Amino acid sequence: MNDSELVEETIVFVKKTLRGAEGGHDWFHIQRVFNNTLLLAKDEKVNVLVVSLAALLHDIADPKFYDGDESIGPQLAKDFLSSLNVDNKTISHVVEIIKNMSFKNSLDKKRKPFYTKELQVVQDADRLDAIGAIGIARAFNYGGFKNRELYNPAIAPNLNMTKEEYKKSSAPTINHFYEKLLLLKDKMNTNTGKKIAEKRHQFMLDYLEQFYQEWNGQL
Ligand code: ADP
Ligand code: NI
């Protein structure tokens, strides 16, 4: 199987696996991350097959939807790629990216950093989808899925969460902006990613300002 057939097969597998997924973590999220990945990859020296497969497979079993189990996604990806006889080096690189790219793992100080250029590109592509207009939509959709409050002025954001606290948090969705979304701009790895993030970041700041104005009954 050549690389483009491999990517096509992977798309079919991911679409099938994500049928019925929460709206912010469904096939369209993957499609956007995949497109962002290809865009960022143009300006970086990376293995395009590795970043493509990692982007497509990065959320096939998000631990959030599997009782916090972090091993299912990487295992599913590994089994799938092995079934297509992908070489071991590619498989292990893709699996390492999936294991290491998440925001909550970046909060885990004990974790040994795994930072290939390929991981950096896919991580930026995923982060771009967490901010801006789409990021806002995804955050509120996830909050709704979890039946969280939109905002509660009495519950302050927690800016120094450990990985465990982050996973357990059931705070209002507005807090997620301060706890994650507004932090992403300064965590971008690639120059192209940084540039796109600036604009989306500003959009979230404008959104929050308008949100508080309306909350306070200003016209
Ligand atoms: P990662 O999968 O990179 O560890 P997260 O699990 O923090 O990242 O979140 C992925 C996306 O899920 C976020 O960008 C956001 O859209 C949504 N999400 C996760 N946690 C929350 C939350 N507490 N409130 C609102 N949205 C959330
Ligand atoms: Ni994702």
Side-chain angles (χ1 to χ4, degrees):
M1 204 179 290
N2 65 32
D3 287 3
S4 75
E5 288 166 341
L6 192 55
V7 166
E8 282 311 312
E9 283 292 316
T10 307
I11 289 174
V12 171
F13 170 73
V14 173
K15 278 186 179 165
K16 196 167 67 190
T17 309
L18 289 179
R19 219 170 269 157
E22 179 265 318
H25 292 83
D26 59 0
W27 160 250
F28 292 115
H29 165 61
I30 304 305
Q31 190 176 55
R32 293 187 302 266
V33 174
F34 180 50
N35 290 337
N36 292 345
T37 295
L38 296 179
L39 182 79
L40 299 179
K42 277 201 229 154
D43 298 332
E44 309 289 329
K45 262 193 131 106
V46 286
N47 180 322
V48 175
L49 180 65
V50 167
V51 294
S52 299
L53 295 175
L56 290 170
L57 293 165
H58 85 277
D59 269 339
I60 41 171
D62 187 314
K64 277 194 288 306
F65 307 112
Y66 288 84
D67 260 343
D69 190 331
E70 294 178 20
S71 65
I72 302 174
Q75 190 61 48
L76 265 180
K78 191 172 174 195
D79 293 346
F80 169 72
L81 296 173
S82 306
S83 77
L84 297 183
N85 296 318
V86 176
D87 66 277
N88 284 335
K89 195 163 153 244
T90 302
I91 297 183
S92 63
H93 195 170
V94 170
V95 170
E96 282 308 304
I97 293 175
I98 298 173
K99 278 187 191 162
N100 287 283
M101 68 183 259
S102 82
F103 178 77
K104 66 182 164 338
N105 284 340
S106 77
L107 301 176
D108 184 353
K109 303 280 181 284
K110 289 193 299 270
R111 219 176 165 89
K112 174 160 93 349
F114 173 87
Y115 256 103
T116 61
K117 203 74 207 161
E118 280 76 10
L119 177 136
Q120 296 185 351
V121 162
V122 185
Q123 188 173 55
D124 273 14
D126 192 32
R127 285 174 172 171
L128 286 177
D129 206 53
I131 60 179
I134 300 259
I136 295 170
R138 292 181 70 218
F140 283 106
N141 196 68
Y142 185 75
F145 181 77
K146 291 284 198 180
N147 198 25
R148 307 244 166 100
E149 290 174 312
L150 301 176
Y151 173 50
N152 184 335
I155 306 176
N158 178 353
L159 296 179
N160 274 308
M161 279 193 278
T162 61
K163 178 180 168 185
E164 286 318 305
E165 286 170 331
Y166 180 82
K167 277 166 68 178
K168 278 206 290 252
S169 167
S170 61
T173 301
I174 284 287
N175 292 24
H176 193 62
F177 285 73
Y178 302 94
E179 291 165 352
K180 176 183 176 187
L181 309 186
L182 294 170
L183 309 178
L184 293 177
K185 170 177 75 71
D186 294 328
K187 286 174 168 269
M188 300 299 288
N189 307 301
T190 65
N191 286 331
T192 317
K194 273 187 198 131
K195 255 188 240 142
I196 304 172
E198 294 281 347
K199 190 168 162 224
R200 296 188 184 189
H201 182 85
Q202 188 56 48
F203 186 86
M204 293 193 293
L205 293 179
D206 294 346
Y207 172 81
L208 288 169
E209 199 184 304
Q210 174 86 16
F211 185 99
Y212 298 126
Q213 279 179 7
E214 294 180 14
W215 186 273
N216 293 320
Q218 287 162 23
L219 298 178

